[in-house]
Amino acid sequence: MLREIATDRVMEQGPTIDRRIEPDIYASLVNSLFSSMRSLVAGAIGGTSAALLTAYETGEAALYWCAAAIAAVSLARVVIGMLFQHRSHGKRLVEQPHLWDVLYGIGACAYSLLLGVWCLIALVFSNDVTAHLVAVSVTIGYSSGIAGRNAGRPQLVSLQIILSCIPLVLGLSLRGEASYVALAILLAFFFWSMRGVSVSISRTLLAALRAEKVMTLLAGRLEAALSNMSHGVMMLDAEERVRVYNSRLTDLLGLQDGDVQEGMALQDLVRTCVRKGVFSRSELKRLQGEFKVGKEVQIVTNDRRTLSMTVEAAKDGGMVLVAEDVTERKRAEARIAYMAHHDDVTGLPNRVLLKEQLEEALEEAVQEGSGFAIFCIDLDHFKSVNDTLGHPVGDSLLRATARRLSAMTRKSDVLARFGGDEFVLIAASVEDADEARAFATRIMAALAQPYALNGHSIIAGASVGIALAPADGRNADALLKNADMALYRAKANGRGTYCLFEREMDVKAQERRSLELDLRSAFANEELQLHFQPLLHLRRRTISTCEALLRWPGGRRGPVPPSVFIPLAEEMGLIVEIGDWTLLRACREAKKWPAQTRVAVNVSPIHFRRGDIVRSVEAALSATGLPADRLEIEITESVLLEHTERTKLALSELHEMGIRISLDDFGTGYSSLAYLQSFPFDKVKIDRSFILGLDSDPQALIMLRGVARLSAELGLSVAVEGVERDDQLAIIMADGYVDEVQGYLIGRPVPPEKLDRLFSVRIDAQAAA
């Protein structure tokens, strides 16, 4: 209830404003007090003249004094008003508005009080009706005027009405006459109503000022937003005339500020753009044909920029045009599209673009009844170049190869890099096998020439697989597959040659694919088996080592020899998993054997290159509990040919763990002797090729003795493979440098359950000899 009463009182007193909270609105209200100097001058002249007139009519001295006071105060108010005008010249808001507010209030209240006193004197001390009429009329007119003129300060209006009207009402009442008293009562109500009018006007004025402030703020924010937008914006009215635009739009159109005007017709703006050379007339015609509300159109300017323009309808029937410079985005999109379809090393089309163009070529060939050839070209020695000279030289070789092949092609041909060191050429002009052979010969001759790259002379060479379209395939995938099979055959035939696709290749490829699937399934279902072949220690005449040999029963296809499925597993990338499985199973079986018997496991070169052989061995030993000195790792010379330092480090780690390292098939490589000094070997296994011809070729025996003696003198254990007859065993034993022998004479590979008998028997090697 108290809050409602207080609110009512505030409403009666008029709206208030805190000059500290809303200083700009307060300053605007102060400005409104001094907005009209004419009214101040008119009030000064009118009030002074009226007071002089009453003094003249009545001859009352007091009225002359009132006229003089009114004139002085009026003059002071005019001077203050002029000073305000001077201080605020060129400024929206004057400084120190509170000071000017106080000065104006003092002058206004003094003037109002003097008018009231003048009326009181004229009414009380004079009986001149004319004086009474002038005094009352001027005061009433003044009170009516200030209700509107000073409406910005309703409290001041109330004070002025009180100061001027109370003496007037008092004077009328003191006359005692009924008409004067009645007029006094009416004027009291009139003055009260004038105060209400002032409050109402003040409220309206304050609301307008606050609305103007909000609109100004919003307009400022809109202008700031438009000025800082990366997009050009233009707003058109229903008659397609420019109403709002930002500087970014003129920048995008390459126009000056004066070229675009508010109220300018859109057609005039377009003509200005053409006249200024922003875009051509042909581009303008295209734009007009595509320009629709809600649709994005792109226009290319004469300076090769691409502008994206979108028009949306406005609620008032107009339009909003948004323009954006998408030049860099278009370039980036073009670059991305190029990169998605081209090789980043050679710049040639890649696999994706090749397949698209191959499909188009096939469709055209079928429609026209023509044909073409597809060549799969593989560099024979690219891998060795990459490994020995580094990837920068390898990339240079690819680029040089691309240039040589491009020089051999026609405009209708397509040359692509298919991946790695493989290129694919679609030769539209080659239609039969004879032309294909001739073209393949030219390709191989061109790529057989030495390359001079980064200070190196490189001979790469190439193998080529050929498929003819549409005979060898009616879709891109089939053609590429068949050409790749032909390439595979060419490489298998010794590299540096070409091969045309034949149907039997597809059959063999299907067989290979079936074998791959079966091998993967066999490994997953644990169908692979381990057999073990014993090695006889000649001096102890016991089984010292058993070599783990992988076997694949093959199921419905029958037993598959290791010489077939081991290379296949290496090509499939399955050999590392199979190797880990073999290590685990071999160690598990060896744990059951006598403590002096070791197990030997062959490790593929791929296991060293792609896997972590050290971790695999550690895992197998940890899982089975087999002592490290009972495990023997057998490697061939091919392991040592790649990644020498990495391989040496892995072998050294295994050797430090106590695992024995054996070099298998020793003597078959040209550099095997050097390896004995470079790597931590414990044993060499002399290849079976040294055993052949021992009884008939003296040279064979000399070579066997030389290799065995050299190995023994280096502190290595020596084993001989392929011993199948008693006479071979006798010759080996007579020399005295061989520690172990392996072969069918000692024992064939057998399942682990058949080894117990061998472990329990001491073999009399001398008797066997």
Side-chain angles (χ1 to χ4, degrees):
M1 186 64 182
L2 291 175
R3 180 179 299 177
E4 293 176 356
I5 293 173
T7 302
D8 291 340
R9 288 180 178 175
V10 170
M11 294 300 292
E12 289 175 1
Q13 294 171 2
T16 60
I17 179 170
D18 191 331
R19 58 188 173 88
R20 293 169 297 178
I21 298 177
E22 297 179 287
D24 49 347
I25 294 180
Y26 173 70
S28 296
L29 292 175
V30 173
N31 277 10
S32 69
L33 298 177
F34 294 93
S35 61
S36 178
M37 286 298 297
R38 290 181 181 180
S39 65
L40 280 177
V41 174
I45 295 173
T48 303
S49 300
L52 284 172
L53 179 61
T54 56
Y56 177 78
E57 283 289 331
T58 62
E60 184 67 42
L63 293 178
Y64 279 106
W65 283 108
C66 284
I70 291 172
V73 171
S74 296
L75 179 61
R77 293 185 72 197
V78 170
V79 171
I80 291 172
M82 292 176 65
L83 287 174
F84 179 88
Q85 294 288 345
H86 177 72
R87 293 287 183 88
S88 64
H89 181 70
K91 299 180 182 178
R92 182 174 176 271
L93 300 176
V94 73
E95 296 178 358
Q96 297 180 307
H98 180 60
L99 173 63
W100 295 105
D101 187 17
V102 171
L103 290 175
Y104 183 88
I106 292 172
C109 288
Y111 187 83
S112 299
L113 179 61
L114 286 173
L115 287 181
V117 171
W118 167 52
C119 286
L120 179 62
I121 294 172
L123 288 169
V124 174
F125 297 99
S126 170
N127 294 318
D128 191 308
V129 176
T130 301
H132 294 174
L133 179 62
V134 170
V136 172
S137 298
V138 169
T139 305
I140 292 173
Y142 174 75
S143 300
S144 300
I146 63 174
R149 189 186 187 287
N150 297 342
R153 307 298 289 148
Q155 293 85 359
L156 177 60
V157 171
S158 298
L159 185 57
Q160 285 182 274
I161 290 175
I162 291 172
L163 292 175
S164 62
C165 296
I166 288 180
L168 172 59
V169 172
L170 179 61
L172 289 171
S173 300
L174 292 175
R175 293 292 301 179
E177 300 174 21
S179 57
Y180 279 83
V181 173
L183 181 59
I185 294 171
L186 289 174
L187 288 179
F189 283 105
F190 173 74
F191 291 142
W192 179 260
S193 66
M194 285 297 97
R195 179 181 174 278
V197 169
S198 174
V199 170
S200 178
I201 295 174
S202 175
R203 187 177 298 115
T204 303
L205 176 61
L206 185 58
L209 288 173
R210 284 172 173 162
E212 180 186 9
K213 177 183 177 182
V214 172
M215 293 300 294
T216 302
L217 180 61
L218 292 176
R221 289 176 178 175
L222 176 61
E223 182 179 359
L226 290 174
S227 300
N228 292 282
M229 286 180 67
S230 61
H231 294 63
V233 177
M234 181 170 63
M235 298 181 182
L236 306 170
D237 60 18
E239 297 178 354
E240 295 189 356
R241 292 187 176 277
V242 177
R243 291 306 173 198
V244 177
Y245 67 94
N246 64 355
S247 58
R248 178 58 177 163
L249 179 73
T250 57
D251 292 341
L252 291 176
L253 295 178
L255 301 175
Q256 302 298 322
D257 289 340
D259 294 333
V260 185
Q261 299 291 338
E262 184 179 350
M264 185 180 192
L266 178 61
Q267 291 298 327
D268 293 338
L269 175 59
V270 172
R271 281 192 287 269
T272 300
C273 290
V274 175
R275 188 175 68 254
K276 294 281 188 177
V278 178
F279 43 77
S280 62
R281 293 186 180 276
S282 59
E283 190 70 6
L284 173 61
K285 290 181 180 179
R286 184 189 66 81
L287 177 64
Q288 289 174 333
E290 298 179 2
F291 205 73
K292 294 180 181 178
V293 173
K295 179 182 178 182
E296 178 185 359
V297 296
Q298 292 185 349
I299 184 168
V300 180
T301 63
N302 289 343
D303 57 358
R304 310 311 301 166
R305 291 180 298 117
T306 302
L307 302 181
S308 171
M309 296 187 178
T310 305
V311 176
E312 297 292 344
K315 292 182 179 180
D316 60 357
M319 295 182 293
V320 179
L321 183 147
V322 179
E324 179 185 8
D325 189 338
V326 295
T327 306
E328 291 303 322
R329 188 180 78 190
K330 295 291 290 183
R331 289 174 182 169
E333 289 173 354
R335 179 60 180 165
I336 291 171
Y338 180 86
M339 293 173 63
H341 292 86
H342 290 79
D343 171 51
D344 59 344
V345 176
T346 63
L348 295 175
N350 61 10
R351 182 188 298 261
V352 175
L353 183 56
L354 172 72
K355 291 184 70 173
E356 292 177 2
Q357 295 181 331
L358 184 54
E359 291 288 2
E360 293 175 3
L362 274 168
E363 184 177 351
E364 183 178 344
V366 171
Q367 290 176 352
E368 298 180 358
S370 60
F372 60 89
I374 179 170
F375 297 82
C376 281
I377 306 160
D378 186 84
L379 297 179
D380 289 335
H381 303 294
F382 176 76
K383 187 177 184 306
S384 61
V385 171
N386 237 4
D387 290 345
T388 56
L389 301 180
H391 291 289
V393 177
D395 290 346
S396 297
L397 175 58
L398 291 173
R399 286 190 285 268
T401 300
R403 289 193 292 270
R404 290 188 183 184
L405 292 174
S406 297
M408 302 174 62
T409 61
R410 302 181 180 182
K411 290 184 177 180
S412 57
D413 298 339
V414 178
L415 175 64
R417 183 186 174 202
F418 209 56
D421 59 347
E422 187 174 345
F423 296 83
V424 175
L425 173 62
I426 303 173
S429 59
V430 178
E431 297 191 13
D432 59 39
D434 290 337
E435 292 178 350
R437 292 187 184 95
F439 196 74
T441 302
R442 288 174 53 204
I443 291 174
M444 291 188 299
L447 300 186
Q449 298 299 315
Y451 294 83
L453 301 172
N454 297 17
H456 302 281
S457 180
I458 298 170
I459 298 177
S463 301
V464 181
I466 310 167
L468 299 176
D472 293 337
R474 290 187 171 269
N475 60 67
D477 290 332
L479 266 178
L480 290 170
K481 182 191 72 172
N482 293 341
D484 191 61
M485 282 192 287
L487 174 63
Y488 185 82
R489 173 67 65 84
K491 292 167 69 174
N493 290 342
R495 300 177 183 269
T497 185
Y498 65 83
C499 184
L500 273 79
F501 172 75
E502 298 174 358
R503 288 297 168 188
E504 67 177 31
M505 294 180 186
D506 191 30
V507 174
K508 291 183 178 179
Q510 294 298 331
E511 292 177 353
R512 174 186 168 85
R513 178 59 179 161
S514 175
L515 189 63
E516 289 178 356
L517 293 174
D518 287 349
L519 177 57
R520 197 174 295 277
S521 174
F523 177 67
N525 297 324
E526 297 193 358
E527 296 175 9
L528 299 182
Q529 299 176 357
L530 277 186
H531 285 198
F532 296 89
Q533 186 175 21
L535 277 76
L536 175 67
H537 195 283
L538 294 179
R539 282 180 287 278
R540 292 201 302 264
R541 300 174 189 172
T542 58
I543 301 301
S544 56
T545 308
C546 288
E547 181 180 2
L549 301 171
L550 201 57
R551 294 291 183 264
W552 181 16
R556 56 180 175 78
R557 67 168 63 246
V560 181
S563 59
V564 173
F565 74 82
I566 294 297
L568 182 64
E570 291 178 336
E571 293 178 17
M572 292 168 58
L574 191 61
I575 193 64
V576 174
E577 296 177 56
I578 291 178
D580 290 344
W581 178 86
T582 302
L583 277 168
L584 181 62
R585 288 299 181 90
C587 291
R588 185 173 295 160
E589 292 296 334
K591 190 71 169 62
K592 306 173 185 177
W593 302 343
Q596 72 276 11
T597 306
R598 300 188 182 91
V599 61
V601 180
N602 293 278
V603 177
S604 166
I606 307 297
H607 209 142
F608 278 85
R609 189 188 319 145
R610 299 181 186 173
D612 189 343
I613 184 61
V614 176
R615 302 288 84 79
S616 297
V617 169
E618 287 178 340
L621 294 178
S622 175
T624 61
L626 184 72
D629 60 357
R630 291 187 57 195
L631 175 61
E632 193 172 284
I633 297 296
E634 291 190 5
I635 62 172
T636 60
E637 184 177 329
S638 58
V639 173
L640 310 176
L641 290 175
E642 299 180 3
H643 307 287
T644 304
E645 290 303 321
R646 180 179 174 182
T647 302
K648 186 175 182 179
L649 179 62
L651 292 176
S652 297
E653 287 188 45
L654 293 173
H655 191 266
E656 290 174 2
M657 291 167 57
I659 295 163
R660 291 171 60 85
I661 310 298
S662 174
L663 180 59
D664 201 8
D665 300 333
F666 180 72
T668 58
Y670 69 93
S671 57
S672 292
L673 295 177
Y675 291 143
L676 296 181
Q677 293 180 309
S678 302
F679 292 88
F681 291 112
D682 298 284
K683 178 195 289 190
V684 293
K685 294 183 72 175
I686 299 175
D687 187 70
R688 65 180 63 250
S689 60
F690 284 86
I691 302 299
L692 301 176
L694 276 182
D695 54 346
S696 59
D697 185 3
Q699 293 293 329
L701 180 59
I702 292 173
M703 291 180 64
L704 174 62
R705 286 174 175 172
V707 171
R709 183 180 297 111
L710 174 63
S711 300
E713 289 176 354
L714 289 174
L716 304 177
S717 174
V718 179
V720 176
E721 300 176 308
V723 178
E724 299 181 356
R725 302 195 312 269
D726 290 337
D727 59 323
Q728 294 172 335
L729 178 60
I731 294 173
I732 292 170
M733 293 181 63
D735 195 61
Y737 289 104
V738 176
D739 299 293
E740 295 173 299
V741 292
Q742 180 181 14
Y744 286 173
L745 179 64
I746 308 304
R748 292 176 176 271
V750 294
E753 60 269 13
K754 294 185 178 182
L755 286 175
D756 292 342
R757 183 179 58 83
L758 290 174
F759 293 145
S760 60
V761 176
R762 185 172 182 275
I763 301 175
D764 191 345
Q766 295 286 357

